[in-house]
Amino acid sequence: MPAPVRLRELIRTIRAARTQAEERDVIQKECALIRSSFREEDNTYRCRNVAKLIYMHMLGYPAHFGQLECLKLIASQRFTDKRIGYLGAMLLLDERQDVHLLMTNCLKNDLNHSTQFVQGLSLCTLGCMGSSDMCRDLAGEVEKLLKNSNSYIRKKAALAAVHVIRKVPELLEMFLPATKNLLNDKNHGVLHAAVVLVIEMCKHSPDTHTYFRKVVPQLVKSLKNLIMSGYSPEHDVSGISDPFLQVQILRLLRMLGKSDDEASEQMNDILAQVATNTETSKNVGNAILYETVLTVMDIKSESGLRVLAVNILGRFLLNNDKNIRYVALTSLLKMVQTDHNAVQRHRSTIVDCLTDLDVSIKRRAMDLCFALVNGSNVRGMMKELLYFLDHCDPEFKADCASGIFLAAEKYAPNKRWHIDTIMRVLTTAGSYVRDDSVPLLIQLISNANSLHAYIVQKLHQAIRVDISQQPLVQVAVWCVGEYGDLLLSGEFEEETPVQVTEDEVLDVLEKILHSSLSALATREYALTAVMKLSTRLQSSTNRIRKAVSIYGSSLDVELQQRAVEYNALFMRFDHMRPALLERMPLIQKSGTNGPMNATIHGDEKEEGGSLPAQEQLSQQAQVNNLLDLLDDSKPTVSLPEASKVHQARGELLDLLDGLNMPDLQSSGLTAGQPQLLPDGIAPPSFQNASNSKQGIPSITAFNQNGLKIEFSFERSKANPNMLFITLCASNSTEMDMSNFVLQAAVPKSFQLQLMSPSGSIIPAMNSGAVTQLMRVLNSQKHPLRMRLKLMYNHKEVPIEVMTDVNEFPTQAWE
């Protein structure tokens, strides 16, 4: 058989191929010749053929058929054969293939070979692809070689020991004594390998931290020698002596000094020397400084040293290399919580990074800017961030807007500034504001009582110019619906009055309703706003009625339902419209049950924590959409109607009839039968406060200053867990009590719903009463507890009283 081509000739032929098909043809022909040579057991050219297979493997072609030939070369006595055999084994074999177990004995023999280069080959192979079983079998030989007098062998053995510990962590203790001695080695390569080995041990066993903390002075001395040593051509890299070893020693010091005062104290001086003596003109020096900064951040270092570390990162921000700037911003973001004042000194440099062309640097700079905002710099930082919001790419606008909202809420110097900032964001990046921000902004505006006129004017002007930004339009439309009367009054604090007519306001809202740019949620906001304006605009009621009636046949069910209910108000219950469409009460923010809750009838408090009262029952009791006439939040609204209870009850049920409810007479129900509420649960009779059938006695919940609140109870027949509580408020003083509002809250295990009261005026001298129905769902049969908040005016003085009711009869909850 002719001699096979040399590796050099094969490489030349492959590179000369003009197409990939031609290259594959050359490879296939050569593989066929190599297979034939292997079958003939040709020992003369086995080494050459395996070398060619390794090259083909590097090109991505299959070369698995040469695995056994690698083992034959390893068993050879010639060094050149062993070298190619071990190289092929490292590339073509791995621990997932059982073939590699056949070389364990060869490795053991070569580890004890008299030639250092053969020992080095076997150590490299073990460190590269040794399996767990192989490492267990050969760990003893590796431990012996760690004590070898040859520095070349000690270095290779230390690296092999790293692989052994990764595969079999329980063998770690075997290498501890030898590793500690290696840290005294003068050879840089051996010392480097020893430090890497110690780092690996510390990662796998926290107990080794205590063992190696004793050598911290020794490591400090080695690092000091590297810094103070003169020029050494063998180890010099860009004017710095062995930067790779310095970096590894700093990493090990970081692990040993973490959470240890004594070890940290021993490192402080050397870390300061490294930070001040390392040249920063080359990337090599920057790498050492970065490791120094990370070490200072992790150990219990002195405050002055931490300031020095922050200043190093500040210098990194001025570097032309984008990678260094990114690393500096990331590190400063981690340090800002612990060293806030030190990071603040570099605020101007950090803000300049917002204009960087690299998007990743912009992102990190934006996050760091928000972390730097505090009460003293909020105005300046918000100015910079708003400018960034104006000019940044769309991918940043949503996060930037949310960050500004949070920072402004936390650090706003006053409400006027807070509102101005929010409106600036809405007008600048309204389309990118997240949907969950809209209710939060409405809650903020609702609580700014003195600024309502100013806010509604600004937002109205904004939507007259642009209605494409949906979050802006939703907030603006809500404000116009709530505070439209303030918009028309022309009285604006610190602003030039702008006269707005009723037609102009309605023109904008109708434009939003009809616009193709408006989302469904925006149209729902607008329709409700138009309806609310019917009580705020005196001469446009007919126009509003026509605008609302158009959507009675809308294809969208939600819009259609709202329009039908609003039309029912106009046609049959016009006398109730002002009360139903009055302004929303203050929306109190709660961090427990979502971003905000309209706690109109209760501020729930349980075990010292405040929770909003739940205003909905379970799914089977959620059909009561009386208060859909307002919006989706379904608040309970007090209706100042006549004091006669049965009239209030009849009007509420008539309102349902106006929404095409089934006729009671046509359905076969007589007047004597109990009428059902919309959820199918029969309410108690208002005329019969005492419930003799159920046997639940009445109680006096409150009796003070002439105001008496009595509770009477009745169990629901449809749902035994449902309790009806009829509240009766009477006034024994000589003057009426007006604007009476009751709020109630229960613990989380209950569900409470308050129906509309019969009126808001309690007549004097017990000549009448205000009644109100409460429904409590107690599915877990817990003892009933309730907190009441009573608000009313008496003798033109507003009175607010809070009381707890804990003495409910046991029949009410058992």
Side-chain angles (χ1 to χ4, degrees):
M1 184 176 180
V5 297
R6 296 178 179 275
L7 175 61
R8 184 176 301 175
E9 295 176 2
L10 176 63
I11 294 174
R12 187 180 297 113
T13 304
I14 291 175
R15 289 181 176 177
R18 297 181 179 180
T19 63
Q20 190 174 6
E22 188 176 344
E23 177 185 300
R24 285 198 299 268
D25 187 55
V26 172
I27 295 293
Q28 289 173 359
K29 288 181 180 179
E30 189 61 35
C31 286
L33 293 174
I34 292 173
R35 283 192 177 94
S36 299
S37 178
F38 287 164
R39 283 196 296 268
E40 294 177 4
E41 296 292 335
D42 184 2
N43 296 328
T44 307
Y45 299 108
R46 180 180 287 121
C47 179
R48 181 184 296 181
N49 288 330
V50 172
K52 289 188 287 186
L53 275 181
I54 293 173
Y55 178 72
M56 295 177 191
H57 173 76
M58 292 169 60
L59 294 178
Y61 293 96
H64 56 278
F65 57 89
Q67 293 172 349
L68 288 176
E69 303 302 319
C70 293
L71 299 181
K72 294 176 182 178
L73 289 176
I74 291 172
S76 173
Q77 298 302 314
R78 297 172 57 190
F79 175 74
T80 53
D81 288 351
K82 283 184 177 293
R83 183 177 60 180
I84 295 297
Y86 277 123
L87 178 60
M90 285 186 280
L91 291 174
L92 303 181
L93 293 175
D94 57 50
E95 60 180 274
R96 293 173 297 179
Q97 298 166 339
D98 295 336
V99 179
H100 82 282
L101 296 175
L102 300 176
M103 60 188 294
T104 303
N105 192 51
C106 293
L107 280 173
K108 188 170 186 177
N109 293 334
D110 288 341
L111 288 174
N112 298 312
H113 202 277
S114 58
T115 305
Q116 64 173 356
F117 300 110
V118 175
Q119 289 178 307
L121 286 174
S122 58
L123 286 169
C124 282
T125 305
L126 177 62
C128 178
M129 46 80 65
S131 63
S132 300
D133 294 336
M134 190 182 292
C135 289
R136 286 190 180 91
D137 294 338
L138 301 177
E141 279 70 18
V142 174
E143 192 269 338
K144 291 177 184 177
L145 293 177
L146 285 174
K147 305 172 184 177
N148 195 290
S149 59
N150 190 328
S151 60
Y152 174 81
I153 298 300
R154 292 200 302 274
K155 178 180 68 174
K156 298 282 188 180
L159 295 176
V162 172
H163 183 77
V164 171
I165 291 174
R166 287 174 181 169
K167 290 295 181 181
V168 193
E170 56 265 26
L171 297 177
L172 181 147
E173 294 183 3
M174 176 190 298
F175 300 102
L176 285 176
T179 303
K180 189 173 182 181
N181 294 330
L182 288 179
L183 293 174
N184 296 317
D185 207 296
K186 301 298 182 183
N187 184 281
H188 283 211
V190 177
L191 181 58
H192 191 166
V195 172
V196 173
L197 179 56
V198 174
I199 291 174
E200 194 65 31
M201 290 178 174
C202 291
K203 288 180 181 177
H204 284 86
S205 175
D207 296 337
T208 56
H209 287 70
T210 304
Y211 181 84
F212 284 109
R213 283 192 179 111
K214 301 175 184 177
V215 301
V216 168
Q218 188 176 330
L219 293 170
V220 169
K221 183 179 178 181
S222 300
L223 186 56
K224 186 174 183 180
N225 291 337
L226 288 172
I227 298 173
M228 300 303 178
S229 64
Y231 174 74
S232 174
E234 183 180 359
H235 307 113
D236 183 83
V237 178
S238 298
I240 296 178
S241 178
D242 205 342
F244 302 100
L245 179 56
Q246 289 191 46
V247 166
Q248 292 298 339
I249 292 177
L250 287 169
R251 288 179 181 173
L252 180 55
L253 290 175
R254 180 161 74 247
M255 298 181 73
L256 297 178
K258 193 170 185 178
S259 304
D260 188 88
D261 294 329
E262 183 180 355
S264 299
E265 179 65 27
Q266 294 172 344
M267 302 174 195
N268 282 330
D269 291 340
I270 189 62
L271 291 175
Q273 292 181 36
V274 173
T276 54
N277 295 334
T278 303
E279 178 64 39
T280 60
S281 59
K282 298 293 179 64
N283 209 34
V284 175
N286 291 328
I288 295 175
L289 287 175
Y290 178 62
E291 289 295 334
T292 305
V293 169
L294 294 181
T295 303
V296 170
M297 290 166 57
D298 278 4
I299 69 172
K300 294 189 175 182
S301 54
E302 299 173 348
S303 59
L305 194 57
R306 299 183 73 87
V307 172
L308 180 60
V310 174
N311 292 338
I312 291 173
L313 295 176
R315 292 202 303 270
F316 281 179
L317 292 177
L318 302 174
N319 199 294
N320 293 328
D321 192 323
K322 294 181 179 180
N323 294 321
I324 294 177
R325 294 204 300 275
Y326 180 83
V327 164
L329 289 169
T330 304
S331 302
L332 287 172
L333 190 58
K334 294 177 182 177
M335 297 183 70
V336 71
Q337 300 300 330
T338 55
D339 300 276
H340 189 83
N341 292 332
V343 179
Q344 281 284 0
R345 298 189 184 101
H346 304 278
R347 189 171 69 238
S348 59
T349 310
I350 295 168
V351 170
D352 290 340
C353 292
L354 290 172
T355 60
D356 198 285
L357 297 178
D358 190 283
V359 293
S360 58
I361 293 178
K362 280 185 185 179
R363 175 74 63 180
R364 281 287 176 265
M366 182 183 70
D367 295 339
L368 185 54
C369 284
F370 283 122
L372 290 176
V373 176
N374 57 28
S376 60
N377 63 20
V378 63
R379 292 180 183 269
M381 289 298 293
M382 285 297 105
K383 184 178 179 181
E384 297 290 346
L385 288 167
L386 286 170
Y387 180 83
F388 173 71
L389 182 63
D390 282 338
H391 299 87
C392 68
D393 297 331
E395 60 189 283
F396 294 99
K397 289 187 182 291
D399 292 334
C400 186
S402 297
I404 291 175
F405 288 155
L406 294 174
E409 180 181 6
K410 191 173 183 181
Y411 300 109
N414 54 66
K415 282 209 170 183
R416 174 67 175 269
W417 181 90
H418 192 182
I419 295 295
D420 286 340
T421 302
I422 295 303
M423 289 196 292
R424 172 75 183 277
V425 174
L426 285 176
T427 54
T428 302
S431 298
Y432 299 95
V433 174
R434 295 192 173 99
D435 292 339
D436 56 357
S437 299
V438 172
L440 293 175
L441 300 180
I442 290 176
Q443 178 264 333
L444 170 66
I445 293 171
S446 171
N447 293 331
N449 292 326
S450 60
L451 297 174
H452 285 164
Y454 170 75
I455 295 169
V456 73
Q457 181 208 26
K458 285 290 187 183
L459 290 175
H460 179 259
Q461 291 176 354
I463 60 175
R464 289 180 66 179
V465 177
D466 181 16
I467 63 170
S468 62
Q469 304 189 71
Q470 297 303 296
L472 168 65
V473 175
Q474 290 172 11
V475 175
V477 163
W478 184 89
C479 290
V480 170
E482 290 294 317
Y483 315 116
D485 51 336
L486 300 178
L487 179 63
L488 296 174
S489 66
E491 298 177 1
F492 307 114
E493 181 185 357
E494 301 178 12
E495 289 290 329
T496 304
V498 177
Q499 293 298 327
V500 181
T501 65
E502 295 184 2
D503 289 337
E504 289 175 344
V505 175
L506 291 176
D507 287 343
V508 174
L509 293 179
E510 289 182 354
K511 180 181 177 183
I512 294 170
L513 278 170
H514 300 323
S515 174
S516 59
L517 298 175
S518 298
L520 176 59
T522 305
R523 293 179 180 177
E524 293 170 2
Y525 274 96
L527 187 61
T528 301
V530 169
M531 186 61 189
K532 285 206 165 190
L533 288 177
S534 67
T535 62
R536 293 150 176 77
L537 307 183
Q538 303 302 323
S539 58
S540 302
T541 305
N542 290 333
R543 180 178 176 181
I544 292 173
R545 182 181 300 177
K546 292 179 181 178
V548 170
S549 63
I550 294 174
Y551 292 90
S553 57
S554 173
L555 295 178
D556 180 74
V557 176
E558 179 66 27
L559 279 177
Q560 183 185 103
Q561 179 181 351
R562 292 185 186 217
V564 169
E565 291 171 348
Y566 296 159
N567 281 326
L569 273 180
F570 277 123
M571 291 186 296
R572 301 188 57 184
F573 309 102
D574 202 53
H575 61 287
M576 298 175 63
R577 184 162 49 85
L580 287 172
L581 300 178
E582 64 185 5
R583 285 186 186 174
M584 290 281 290
L586 292 182
I587 304 173
Q588 300 180 2
K589 188 176 180 182
S590 170
T592 54
N593 285 351
M596 68 176 190
N597 288 283
T599 55
I600 299 162
H601 272 282
D603 225 2
E604 177 175 314
K605 203 161 193 174
E606 176 78 5
E607 300 294 337
S610 78
L611 294 172
Q614 298 189 18
E615 298 178 4
Q616 296 180 352
L617 297 179
S618 58
Q619 292 182 356
Q620 62 180 344
Q622 290 180 355
V623 190
N624 186 3
N625 288 328
L626 278 178
L627 297 168
D628 244 356
L629 299 172
L630 293 179
D631 58 11
D632 289 334
S633 58
K634 299 180 178 62
T636 306
V637 180
S638 300
L639 301 178
E641 292 300 318
S643 60
K644 293 184 179 180
V645 182
H646 68 279
Q647 290 180 357
R649 172 173 171 254
E651 286 177 347
L652 290 175
L653 293 175
D654 285 346
L655 177 56
L656 290 176
D657 293 339
L659 300 180
N660 298 325
M661 295 290 288
D663 188 7
L664 294 178
Q665 294 180 357
S666 63
S667 60
L669 294 178
T670 64
Q673 292 176 310
Q675 298 180 0
L676 295 180
L677 287 178
D679 57 1
I681 299 175
S685 172
F686 286 94
Q687 288 81 1
N688 186 14
S690 62
N691 185 1
S692 59
K693 293 183 180 180
Q694 295 293 334
I696 305 178
S698 302
I699 65 171
T700 300
F702 180 82
N703 191 0
Q704 186 177 334
N705 298 328
L707 175 62
K708 184 177 181 180
I709 305 293
E710 293 180 318
F711 284 175
S712 58
F713 309 94
E714 182 175 347
R715 183 80 63 191
S716 169
K717 297 179 181 179
N719 185 356
N721 296 328
M722 178 73 70
L723 178 68
F724 293 106
I725 303 177
T726 303
L727 174 151
C728 181
S730 59
N731 174 17
S732 60
T733 65
E734 296 179 354
M735 296 187 66
D736 293 347
M737 295 179 179
S738 61
N739 297 329
F740 174 75
V741 176
L742 178 137
Q743 297 179 353
V746 292
K748 289 191 297 184
S749 58
F750 298 86
Q751 291 182 329
L752 171 68
Q753 186 178 34
L754 280 81
M755 306 304 292
S756 300
S758 61
S760 61
I761 299 176
I762 308 177
M765 304 301 295
N766 294 324
S767 59
V770 171
T771 60
Q772 188 170 2
L773 175 64
M774 292 186 282
R775 301 192 296 178
V776 179
L777 182 63
N778 182 9
S779 57
Q780 300 181 18
K781 299 295 184 180
H782 287 173
L784 181 58
R785 293 183 293 128
M786 185 178 296
R787 172 163 291 183
L788 301 179
K789 185 176 182 181
L790 308 172
M791 293 172 288
Y792 59 93
N793 293 337
H794 190 223
K795 298 181 181 179
E796 299 183 355
V797 176
I799 298 175
E800 183 175 311
V801 183
M802 187 174 293
T803 183
D804 292 334
V805 184
N806 299 321
E807 302 299 329
F808 284 92
T810 56
Q811 299 93 323
W813 48 270
E814 284 185 345

